Amino acid sequence: MWRWMPGWVGAWLLGTRLQLQQESAWPVAWTLTGSASALVVLAGAYWLERCQAHLFQKFMPWATHRLAVLGAIALLACALVNARCALQMQEALNPRLEGQDLHALVEVASLPRMGEKGVLFRGRVLRASLASSGDAVKVPTFIEFNWSDWEAPSSMDLPLWQSLQAGDQWQFQVRLKLPHGSLNPGGFDEELRLWELGIMATGSVHAGKGQRPPNKLSSSWRYPVDRWRQQVRAQIHSTLQASELGAKSSAGVIAALVMGDQAEIASSDWQIFRATGVAHLMSISGLHITMLAWLASVLLAWGWRSSARRGSVLCLRLPAPLAASVGGLLVALSYAIFCGWGLPAQRTILMLFVLSVLRWQGVRWPWYGSWALALWVVSVWDPWALLKASFWLSFVAVGALILADPGAASQRTNLETQDAKMVQHGPFKEFRLMLGIGLFTYFKSLVREQWVVTVALAPLSILFFGQLSVSGMLANLMAIPWVTLCVTPLALAGWVWHPLWHVAAGAFEPLMWGLTWLSQWPSGVWHFAQAPMGLTLLAILGALICFQQWPWALRCWGVLWLLPIGLWQVPKPVWGQFDLWALDIGQGNAVLLRTAHHALLYDTGPTWGADADAGQRVLVPFMSRMGVDLDRLMLSHRDSDHTGGASAVLANHPHADLWTSLEAGHPLSQLRDVNRCHAGQKWTWDGVRFEVLHPALADYALNKTSNGLSCVLRIDASQGDLSQNGHDARTASALLVGDIEAPQEQALLQAHALQAVDFLLVPHHGSLTSSGFDFVQQLMPKWAEVQAGYRNRCGHPSPQVVARYAQLGVPLAMSPVCGAAHWQSQTPQALDCERNLKRRYWHFKAP
């Protein structure tokens, strides 16, 4: 059986993967037909092979039979995932309820994630009705709610959301919307995350003037695990923050290691962890759960066998190896549930369960049979995990370690040998022997394993993250044993005696110093453009060759196969042409322009909190994946929805100069010398002409509003063709205008500074105060782009403005509907929307 396991699993993964590429889920009739057809083919193949072998050999060649089985397995996988989609879509929110005020009875059904200005939690809606009429309405059972300070009355000294606990029942006035998130090339898919969790709507709690204030009705232990986790988190914070400097950062890390709550790890710490490749250790990872399961099984096996010397019959009732594996699995399961039963923890428990069952049954499959079976079980449990980086990183790492040295792997997992030593020496003496005799061997093995994992995961790191941590191998050599064997056990022991949390935090500090030093290496992180999937697969094969125990003359061929993914460059515009990306960053502006050898970023989007902004979340990763080295950052004006991500962009592009209309003394002027933009400034990059049209130098002395001082930038491509009069022929152009309003539009018209363009960034996100009829008529762009947040509080774009563009026949692309927009001067009549190119059934669909 195991010989065909990889093929069957491959067919199942193929069918699942094809389903994940669908723009819409299958109708019920298609799902039933596909499932029935696949089952008929599989049943017929089994009958022919087992019961009618002679007919099978006569009428169906071996290859045809196998292909039919593999095709049926792929079809069955695709149909079953579609069936799950059909069931989940029955919980979808009625679009007519979006934006309406509802009265809802909500039970807090998760650990609240506390922030500085609000809380995020999953709520179970018990009852909902329209606030206007009181009529009952049907909404999804589970909704992710956000309760922010800006909604609270000013008279409230302490926000009510700070007292939120799992199991509480509250009466809220809420507004709901369909799951929606930003969609950029290679970026994080928030809508996939919500779909995978079964959340079919999101909502915000409204507590402002004229609205029903939140009212706590009751409190219960209906969700005991989440309530217990909340108490442990509060104990960690109260213990560490009482006496330690910088204890908030330490408390966040300790809480992540103890209970899997990563919400309060500082953004600066996360940057260090990612730069050094140790982010996987700062949570309840599979490594921690597996370590705990192994430790529990070793201790239980020793105690189980030791009981026989005292006259117990436990070993006669249940063999010690079986009791140890069951006990270890139960401990791992209990710990995973306490840590929130997140998807990575679920995958770890499933893999441990599969391997334990095989061991209980005495199955001795080759490593790839067990590996493939665990892969199949996880994909059946969570099909959408196939789109997650963590899924492939974990399975590829395990497979690479076993493939690199299967003999050592089997020896490390030979629990019978370890259990026999436990009987002879006892667990503590055995640990002392391991420390005294095998320390060098352990370190040597750790170095080799880290080398194998680094090489094997390098192509996937480039594919998913666009970077490779050069210091990661050294950082993991320090961090893995220290966090796994020292910090995490001390943090877990803090449950019993709280002062041990101080010890765990103190033990983590020297490691943090080392990681900080490694993250500051000049070339500690290499950035790469995101390569095609074909080059990634070629690089993975090259990595497998590199760590084989073959002669170096053969292993060097693997290095050659690794080179293309590192040398790949995203195609750039030709000389004289440019392209632009209007990124999906919510309520704000951020447009990246590229010429053949230069790049300019116009605005940097909004900030969402002290540790979150569009720069670090969207712009920096996107430019890294595109292989962009920024030459110039232009901030149109000072508003936070245009400058929110500037600090992160400047920090990651130290050679970029800054052009802006910011006033002297602005905090950003401390980061980079400021070049004040004004009308008449011109420059040329690679044959592409740039010109600033507004503001005039005199405008700065008039104390105009920040919107009125927005830098207006015009970009013109050059084909290099001359007309008969010696002037440039009509070429493609774009106009970026920031938040200018009607007075500035009229001033530009009166100064005859505006000419027809092909692409227009709609002024002020489509506000009613901008996009005058004469202004749009003068420009008459082939495309106009509105960068605004989905159902934003400002109501952008205004319906009157949308109607005005439609009246003039100007196509309007809106980022909530389009996602990231890509426009090229070579084909000015076309605009590519990320939501159209990457449409999936879990994505937001415009009503």
Side-chain angles (χ1 to χ4, degrees):
M1 177 180 178
W2 55 264
R3 280 177 286 190
W4 305 112
M5 181 66 68
W8 297 341
V9 172
W12 186 277
L13 294 180
L14 176 62
T16 303
R17 182 68 182 182
L18 291 175
Q19 197 280 337
L20 299 180
Q21 304 303 311
Q22 295 177 187
E23 294 187 9
S24 59
W26 285 357
V28 176
W30 289 21
T31 302
L32 294 176
T33 302
S35 302
S37 302
L39 292 174
V40 167
V41 171
L42 292 175
Y46 177 83
W47 180 79
L48 284 174
E49 186 168 1
R50 295 294 182 184
C51 304
Q52 299 292 333
H54 62 286
L55 293 177
F56 161 66
Q57 296 174 356
K58 181 177 181 180
F59 296 105
M60 183 174 290
W62 179 88
T64 305
H65 169 260
R66 296 302 178 192
L67 288 176
V69 170
L70 295 178
I73 291 175
L75 178 60
L76 182 61
C78 188
L80 291 180
V81 180
N82 273 288
R84 292 178 61 173
C85 293
L87 293 175
Q88 186 164 327
M89 286 179 177
Q90 294 180 359
E91 280 280 302
L93 176 70
N94 186 342
R96 296 180 180 178
L97 296 178
E98 279 196 298
Q100 296 197 44
D101 287 327
L102 304 178
H103 290 158
L105 178 61
V106 179
E107 187 174 59
V108 182
S110 70
L111 174 73
R113 295 182 59 183
M114 302 291 181
E116 294 184 358
K117 297 183 178 180
V119 61
L120 187 71
F121 66 96
R122 185 171 69 251
R124 178 171 173 261
V125 181
L126 305 178
R127 185 172 61 251
S129 61
L130 292 172
S132 57
S133 63
D135 295 338
V137 293
K138 184 181 182 300
V139 298
T141 304
F142 290 98
I143 297 176
E144 189 170 86
F145 287 99
N146 179 46
W147 188 359
S148 303
D149 262 353
W150 71 270
E151 305 276 2
S154 58
S155 60
M156 188 178 297
D157 296 330
L158 185 66
L160 284 176
W161 55 261
Q162 292 190 2
S163 63
L164 209 66
Q165 288 185 310
D168 291 351
Q169 288 189 8
W170 288 73
Q171 184 71 45
F172 290 134
Q173 181 164 325
V174 301
R175 289 179 186 171
L176 306 182
K177 62 181 181 180
L178 294 169
H180 185 272
S182 300
L183 196 62
N184 295 290
F188 180 73
D189 193 340
E190 173 68 8
E191 292 163 53
L192 174 60
R193 181 190 72 86
L194 294 172
W195 173 272
E196 195 174 12
L197 295 174
I199 296 175
M200 303 301 290
T202 60
S204 58
V205 177
H206 285 238
K209 295 180 180 179
Q211 296 170 333
R212 176 183 292 184
N215 181 28
K216 182 178 179 180
L217 302 180
S218 64
S219 182
S220 69
W221 280 79
R222 188 181 299 272
Y223 297 92
V225 174
D226 288 314
R227 199 174 183 92
W228 184 25
R229 297 178 70 215
Q230 192 168 358
Q231 289 184 356
V232 172
R233 183 178 66 183
Q235 290 171 350
I236 292 173
H237 282 272
S238 62
T239 300
L240 293 180
Q241 294 183 10
S243 59
E244 291 187 17
L245 182 63
K248 183 176 181 180
S249 177
S250 299
V253 172
I254 298 302
L257 294 175
V258 171
M259 44 178 293
D261 182 21
Q262 307 174 15
E264 297 187 26
I265 296 181
S267 175
S268 57
D269 291 344
W270 273 125
Q271 293 178 7
I272 294 173
F273 299 152
R274 293 190 184 102
T276 54
V278 300
H280 62 99
L281 293 173
M282 304 308 155
S283 63
I284 304 303
S285 63
L287 177 63
H288 296 154
I289 295 176
T290 305
M291 180 270 294
L292 189 63
W294 173 82
L295 181 60
S297 64
V298 166
L299 294 176
L300 184 58
W302 173 77
W304 204 267
R305 286 194 173 101
S306 298
S307 67
R309 295 196 295 268
R310 296 176 176 82
S312 174
V313 295
L314 290 176
C315 290
L316 297 178
R317 299 291 180 84
L318 189 65
L322 181 58
S325 60
V326 171
L329 185 62
L330 291 177
V331 169
L333 178 61
S334 302
Y335 185 48
I337 292 175
F338 172 77
C339 294
W341 196 235
L343 294 174
Q346 293 178 26
R347 293 197 289 266
T348 302
I349 295 299
L350 286 172
M351 288 187 285
L352 289 175
F353 177 75
V354 169
L355 297 178
S356 297
V357 169
L358 291 178
R359 188 183 178 200
W360 298 342
Q361 298 298 320
V363 177
R364 298 296 181 184
W365 286 355
W367 70 269
Y368 54 83
S370 304
W371 182 83
L373 180 61
L375 184 68
W376 175 75
V377 171
V378 172
S379 67
V380 172
W381 179 270
D382 181 15
W384 301 278
L386 271 65
L387 300 175
K388 298 296 185 67
S390 59
F391 174 85
W392 295 109
L393 291 173
S394 60
F395 272 101
V396 170
V398 172
L401 286 173
I402 301 176
L403 185 61
D405 195 353
S410 62
Q411 185 178 1
R412 285 194 299 270
T413 56
N414 190 352
L415 295 183
E416 289 85 352
T417 303
Q418 295 175 2
D419 292 342
K421 293 181 180 179
M422 293 298 156
V423 174
Q424 181 180 359
H425 300 293
F428 303 107
K429 187 175 181 180
E430 174 62 22
F431 292 153
R432 290 196 298 269
L433 290 174
M434 290 171 61
L435 290 175
I437 298 175
L439 187 60
F440 176 76
T441 304
Y442 168 76
F443 181 75
K444 182 180 177 181
S445 174
L446 184 62
V447 171
R448 172 173 172 76
E449 290 177 358
Q450 193 56 48
W451 153 254
V452 169
V453 170
T454 300
V455 174
L457 298 186
L460 294 179
S461 298
I462 296 174
L463 174 66
F464 291 121
F465 310 118
Q467 67 180 36
L468 182 63
S469 176
V470 181
S471 60
M473 182 173 175
L474 179 58
N476 278 279
L477 284 175
M478 297 188 305
I480 289 177
W482 191 249
V483 172
T484 305
L485 303 177
C486 179
V487 180
T488 301
L490 288 172
L492 294 176
W495 278 346
V496 181
W497 192 42
H498 296 343
L500 286 177
W501 284 327
H502 290 283
V503 181
F508 186 75
E509 285 184 7
L511 176 63
M512 194 64 188
W513 295 336
L515 295 177
T516 303
W517 176 69
L518 289 174
S519 68
Q520 295 172 352
W521 281 12
S523 300
V525 179
W526 291 354
H527 296 279
F528 299 89
Q530 193 170 29
M533 182 59 69
L535 291 183
T536 303
L537 295 176
L538 183 66
I540 292 175
L541 292 176
L544 294 177
I545 295 174
C546 283
F547 56 71
Q548 295 300 314
Q549 296 182 349
W550 296 343
W552 278 103
L554 295 177
R555 294 160 74 175
C556 287
W557 285 100
V559 177
L560 294 178
W561 289 15
L562 282 167
L563 288 178
I565 193 173
L567 299 176
W568 166 263
Q569 294 291 327
V570 176
K572 296 180 180 180
V574 299
W575 193 94
Q577 299 296 326
F578 71 97
D579 68 353
L580 60 82
W581 287 90
L583 296 171
D584 188 3
I585 41 82
Q587 184 67 21
N589 280 159
V591 179
L592 177 67
L593 296 107
R594 298 188 309 159
T595 65
H597 301 101
H598 294 84
L600 178 145
L601 180 63
Y602 184 89
D603 285 342
T604 58
T607 180
W608 302 303
D611 292 330
D613 58 65
Q616 58 178 303
R617 292 284 182 87
V618 179
L619 301 178
V620 171
F622 176 78
M623 289 189 288
S624 176
R625 286 188 293 269
M626 295 289 291
V628 169
D629 187 10
L630 198 63
D631 296 284
R632 181 160 297 166
L633 172 61
M634 179 173 285
L635 301 176
S636 61
H637 61 296
R638 64 166 300 160
D639 287 0
S640 62
D641 57 336
H642 298 254
T643 62
S647 297
V649 171
L650 292 174
N652 284 271
H653 294 272
H655 301 295
D657 55 22
L658 177 61
W659 288 41
T660 181
S661 63
L662 297 176
E663 71 279 6
H666 192 279
L668 289 175
S669 65
Q670 307 299 320
L671 303 178
R672 199 68 48 90
D673 293 336
V674 173
N675 299 289
R676 177 168 285 185
C677 63
H678 60 83
Q681 292 172 320
K682 299 179 182 179
W683 71 92
T684 301
W685 282 344
D686 306 317
V688 178
R689 298 183 295 274
F690 295 78
E691 181 179 3
V692 178
L693 305 181
H694 180 81
L697 280 174
D699 292 336
Y700 287 100
L702 299 178
N703 294 322
K704 288 191 174 183
T705 63
S706 61
N707 287 351
L709 291 176
S710 294
C711 301
V712 176
L713 180 65
R714 180 185 176 95
I715 310 98
D716 290 281
S718 174
Q719 299 285 359
D721 297 331
L722 297 179
S723 64
Q724 294 180 353
N725 297 327
H727 298 292
D728 285 352
R730 173 75 174 90
T731 57
S733 57
L735 187 65
L736 311 179
V737 296
D739 280 356
I740 63 171
E741 297 177 323
Q744 291 77 47
E745 293 176 354
Q746 290 301 315
L748 289 170
L749 287 170
Q750 293 172 6
H752 303 288
L754 298 179
Q755 300 176 8
V757 297
D758 297 279
F759 178 92
L760 171 66
L761 181 65
V762 173
H764 203 180
H765 321 287
S767 167
L768 188 58
T769 61
S770 305
S771 296
F773 186 88
D774 294 340
F775 176 79
V776 181
Q777 189 177 40
Q778 175 65 27
L779 296 175
M780 286 302 293
K782 291 184 173 66
W783 283 100
E785 168 73 19
V786 177
Q787 286 188 305
Y790 178 61
R791 290 194 169 273
N792 60 87
R793 287 175 283 169
C794 303
H796 296 156
S798 167
Q800 294 92 322
V801 170
V802 173
R804 188 174 302 150
Y805 281 92
Q807 178 185 354
L808 292 171
V810 176
L812 200 62
M814 294 177 282
S815 54
V817 179
C818 177
H822 184 210
W823 181 86
Q824 303 176 74
S825 61
Q826 280 187 305
T827 55
Q829 70 281 357
L831 183 140
D832 296 325
C833 288
E834 187 69 10
R835 287 191 177 271
N836 294 337
L837 298 175
K838 300 293 178 63
R839 171 74 66 188
R840 300 294 181 265
Y841 53 81
W842 58 80
H843 283 154
F844 162 81
K845 298 177 179 60

